[in-house]
Amino acid sequence: MESKESSLETSTPNVSPSAAASNAYALGLTQFQGFWIPSSRVPTSSIISFQKYFQALDDDIIVASKPKAGTTWLKALVFTIVNRHSYTLSNIPLNSENPNLDLSKIPSPRVFSTHLPYSMLADSIKRSNCRIVYITRNPFDIVVSLWHFVRGVHNLPDWPLEDCFEMFCRGEESYGPFWDHALGYWNMSVEKPSNILFMRYEELKEDSVAQTKRLAEFLRFPFSLEEEKIGVVNQIIDFCSFNNLKDLEVNKTGKMPRSIIPSLIPSHKLFFRSGKVGDYINHLSPTAVERLSNVLKEKLSESSLTFN
Ligand SMILES: Nc1ncnc2c1ncn2[C@@H]1O[C@H](COP(=O)(O)OS(=O)(=O)O)[C@@H](OP(=O)(O)O)[C@H]1O
């Protein structure tokens, strides 16, 4: 499990644009258990330890996602919904710091976040009654968001979008392939709907109220009629909105608490770019869109999961 950290850091600080362009290894990704994992951020040994030793509790909550699918947004919503009786929106820790992730100090229910695919989660999570919320997003916006992020984190202003796009289509991207990541959680959400909620960035944008209420109910923290009447749902939505989070002082000036590559400590700013649905239209050609659509059609052909 990882906290709100960059998952795209490389173990080669001076990676050149051409090297980054050529393959996933140049971006510090390692193929492990069928996925491309950022080995510098999440060494495979720590994944094995997590799989073996992590003890899930029945009331644990796990926010799961592929990078750039809406992790920051969903984490803020889940934390705020679950802790709304402990804090007010003016003193909630999200205003100033990352929540304390020391396992022994996290109050119940513990809220974790991970980019790991379902197949890599600890067995204790799969056996427990804990809740997993997965968020996904249309892959066209994900690839554009990812490209901006990698360029920012690695200081690669000239890295061509085409190279990032090609890697994405081959499945060679952080925690990719995208389709296998989404399918793992999708299939489990169909099999165990009371334990795994499958959410979409676009639906959360389109109908924030209905989706936030759905999320709160799933987490077993439903809004009371009184709360709905006095506008708590909208207050939480507004607090967690792109515009509000982006403008918090901690997100304008803050940096990740740690990085194993000191020169590449990402600032919080990088997690807030445009926050829009469909921005890919400004970056991807119709041919590229068709290409990725065809890849998805093929990879998801056996499943009921679709992306527009
Ligand atoms: N509150 C809120 N509401 C809506 N959208 C938001 C929000 N916070 C972040 N964002 C946008 O989400 C994109 C970053 O994705 P992630 O948070 O999954 O990134 S990461 O996994 O934490 O690296 C990235 O998307 P793009 O703007 O398309 O690049 C962010 O701008």
Side-chain angles (χ1 to χ4, degrees):
M1 295 274 181
E2 57 182 357
S3 61
K4 186 177 174 330
E5 307 261 333
S6 159
S7 46
L8 292 158
E9 288 170 13
T10 175
S11 50
T12 3
N14 296 320
V15 63
S16 70
S18 56
S22 60
N23 65 61
Y25 293 107
L27 283 178
L29 304 177
T30 302
Q31 201 168 41
F32 181 65
Q33 299 181 350
F35 288 84
W36 288 97
I37 303 298
S39 45
S40 59
R41 170 57 56 200
V42 190
T44 49
S45 56
S46 64
I47 297 180
I48 293 168
S49 299
F50 158 67
Q51 289 172 339
K52 242 171 137 175
Y53 300 117
F54 179 78
Q55 290 303 320
L57 303 177
D58 280 340
D59 63 353
D60 281 349
I61 293 171
I62 293 162
V63 173
S65 62
K66 272 267 295 107
K68 307 301 143 198
T71 321
T72 307
W73 192 9
L74 184 60
K75 277 181 183 176
L77 278 170
V78 169
F79 188 86
T80 310
I81 289 169
V82 167
N83 292 291
R84 69 184 186 272
H85 302 303
S86 315
Y87 302 105
T88 66
L89 290 178
S90 57
N91 73 2
I92 191 164
L94 296 178
N95 280 315
S96 55
E97 62 196 49
N98 280 323
N100 187 340
L101 290 183
D102 177 342
L103 281 194
S104 61
K105 294 195 183 130
I106 304 180
S108 179
R110 306 181 303 178
V111 180
F112 297 106
S113 150
T114 186
H115 287 316
L116 289 178
Y118 184 82
S119 58
M120 281 198 206
L121 296 184
D123 279 347
S124 72
I125 293 179
K126 296 175 185 170
R127 282 195 313 265
S128 78
N129 198 29
C130 73
R131 299 282 188 271
I132 300 176
V133 187
Y134 183 73
I135 188 158
T136 191
R137 183 182 190 187
N138 85 67
F140 311 102
D141 279 335
I142 288 188
V143 75
V144 169
S145 182
L146 188 63
W147 173 64
H148 280 286
F149 187 80
V150 173
R151 284 161 78 228
V153 168
H154 293 279
N155 194 17
L156 292 174
D158 298 328
W159 190 37
L161 173 58
E162 290 72 22
D163 291 354
C164 180
F165 182 78
E166 283 307 315
M167 285 171 67
F168 194 92
C169 288
R170 294 199 300 267
E172 287 181 31
E173 39 105 18
S174 200
Y175 301 92
F178 166 83
W179 42 89
D180 287 341
H181 201 284
L183 269 177
Y185 285 97
W186 170 256
N187 290 338
M188 290 316 297
S189 74
V190 172
E191 199 176 313
K192 292 168 74 180
S194 53
N195 292 94
I196 302 176
L197 181 69
F198 195 90
M199 299 190 78
R200 292 178 186 261
Y201 185 97
E202 294 77 16
E203 290 175 354
L204 199 46
K205 274 270 176 197
E206 172 86 25
D207 195 348
S208 301
V209 172
Q211 292 296 321
T212 302
K213 282 162 62 176
R214 175 178 175 234
L215 174 62
E217 266 159 42
F218 172 80
L219 296 174
R220 292 182 284 200
F221 283 84
F223 295 104
S224 66
L225 285 177
E226 176 62 16
E227 282 181 308
E228 289 197 30
K229 214 160 71 192
I230 61 173
V232 172
V233 184
N234 280 313
Q235 281 168 17
I236 288 179
I237 291 169
D238 290 346
F239 177 78
C240 297
S241 69
F242 177 82
N243 285 335
N244 184 59
L245 293 186
K246 167 177 76 69
D247 287 341
L248 292 179
E249 195 52 35
V250 67
N251 291 330
K252 286 204 278 198
T253 55
K255 286 190 174 246
M256 293 294 110
R258 66 190 163 88
S259 167
I260 52 170
I261 308 156
S263 60
L264 289 178
I265 297 179
S267 58
H268 291 182
K269 258 195 234 158
L270 286 171
F271 293 91
F272 304 93
R273 190 183 62 89
S274 79
K276 293 198 178 110
V277 172
D279 179 49
Y280 71 88
I281 288 288
N282 300 313
H283 297 277
L284 298 179
S285 69
T287 315
V289 172
E290 194 186 343
R291 160 107 198 279
L292 182 51
S293 301
N294 287 338
V295 170
L296 288 172
K297 219 181 274 169
E298 186 207 321
K299 301 292 182 187
L300 301 175
S301 60
E302 314 257 288
S303 144
S304 51
L305 177 61
T306 54
F307 290 91
N308 297 320

